[in-house]
Amino acid sequence: VALNNQLIQKLEETAQSIYKQWFVEFEFPDENGKPYKSNGGEMILNEALEKEIPKGWRNGTLEDLYRFQYGIGNRNPNNGGQYPVYGAGGVIGGFDNFNSEDAPIIGHMGEYCGKVVFAFGKHFVTYNVVMCLSKSGNLKWFSYLTLLSKDLMSHTRGSSQPFVSYDMLYEIQAILPKDELAIKFDRLAKIIFKQINLYQNENLKLTELKELLLSKLATVVN
């Protein structure tokens, strides 16, 4: 499990590094396969952003990528069901129903406010979490890594009880590339996140096996 967690971390860092190279440093592969900006790719001054961005790109907000919605219920519905239940800090149980599938979630309030996690497969999201409903299935991983790049934990509001609001999320700026480039990135990132999902599923099975073995061992000892 520890080894898998290290591999997951390395894969996530790899995906974020490629995202930064393409969409922050603007060194995505040009038509000749060379880094765009350092090989004379045309840059245009964007007055709203007060910086140069590649020609054909535009400034937008997270609202261009997602529709945000709070989860359901203010308590943990855990009943041992097949679908993982997500609170602000991660998985907190299992439930018989799901209300989200293969999508990022954001901690809504408290200690994990602003924390972004990608929840694979079908899952149930409580009120302590904001669901991120993608507006384009072709840009799943570009949109997710854009969320991660915004360091949402530093954008929280409130002092005694920090929280993340819809208004806050919708107004956060995002540089939007041409769709064909974002789709190309998604195809590449999909391979990385597929492997991450495999490692996560393996960890779940290993944890279940560990609990079973410990239970059997306790029975033998008694």
Side-chain angles (χ1 to χ4, degrees):
V1 170
L3 176 59
N4 281 348
N5 285 336
Q6 290 177 14
L7 293 170
I8 288 170
Q9 182 178 350
K10 290 297 182 183
L11 286 167
E12 289 178 338
E13 289 172 354
T14 298
Q16 291 179 49
S17 177
I18 297 171
Y19 175 91
K20 180 180 178 182
Q21 182 182 31
W22 284 33
F23 303 111
V24 178
E25 299 169 351
F26 310 130
E27 297 289 18
F28 54 90
D30 65 14
E31 58 212 20
N32 298 313
K34 296 181 178 180
Y36 181 85
K37 185 176 180 180
S38 59
N39 281 274
E42 187 172 358
M43 304 289 288
I44 302 294
L45 177 64
N46 184 289
E47 294 182 359
L49 296 171
E50 298 182 342
K51 64 184 292 185
E52 288 189 331
I53 61 176
K55 183 179 180 181
W57 292 31
R58 64 185 179 88
N59 63 298
T61 67
L62 293 183
E63 189 171 9
D64 290 290
L65 302 175
Y66 288 110
R67 180 170 64 84
F68 298 108
Q69 177 180 320
Y70 293 129
I72 300 172
N74 57 4
R75 63 179 181 83
N76 181 1
N78 176 37
N79 63 4
Q82 62 177 314
Y83 303 114
V85 175
Y86 279 87
V91 177
I92 55 176
F95 191 46
D96 295 331
N97 296 316
F98 66 93
N99 59 2
S100 184
E101 181 175 4
D102 249 6
I105 57 175
I106 304 170
H108 166 43
M109 59 179 66
E111 179 183 359
Y112 298 101
C113 177
K115 179 181 178 181
V116 180
V117 172
F118 193 90
F120 289 96
K122 297 175 180 177
H123 52 276
F124 186 90
V125 179
T126 67
Y127 181 74
N128 285 336
V129 178
V130 177
M131 294 187 286
C132 305
L133 308 176
S134 177
K135 291 186 174 181
S136 174
N138 291 329
L139 305 180
K140 177 192 294 186
W141 302 116
F142 167 76
S143 299
Y144 170 57
L145 287 162
T146 297
L147 275 180
L148 285 181
S149 72
K150 299 305 175 184
D151 186 21
L152 297 181
M153 295 186 81
S154 68
H155 287 267
T156 58
R157 295 173 178 169
S159 52
S160 59
Q161 178 73 327
F163 66 93
V164 167
S165 70
Y166 287 172
D167 291 343
M168 184 213 85
L169 293 170
Y170 283 135
E171 69 188 17
I172 293 176
Q173 289 193 334
I175 299 175
L176 304 176
K178 294 180 179 179
D179 282 351
E180 55 265 32
L181 181 65
I183 291 171
K184 182 178 180 180
F185 173 81
D186 249 54
R187 294 195 192 105
L188 177 61
K190 180 180 179 180
I191 299 170
I192 297 174
F193 284 99
K194 181 178 180 180
Q195 190 62 46
I196 288 174
N197 192 24
L198 288 174
Y199 285 134
Q200 288 183 347
N201 287 335
E202 185 176 336
N203 277 355
L204 288 174
K205 297 299 181 184
L206 288 170
T207 301
E208 291 173 2
L209 179 60
K210 180 186 71 173
E211 292 174 352
L212 176 61
L213 289 174
L214 288 175
S215 175
K216 295 289 186 182
L217 182 61
T219 302
V220 172
V221 172
N222 292 333

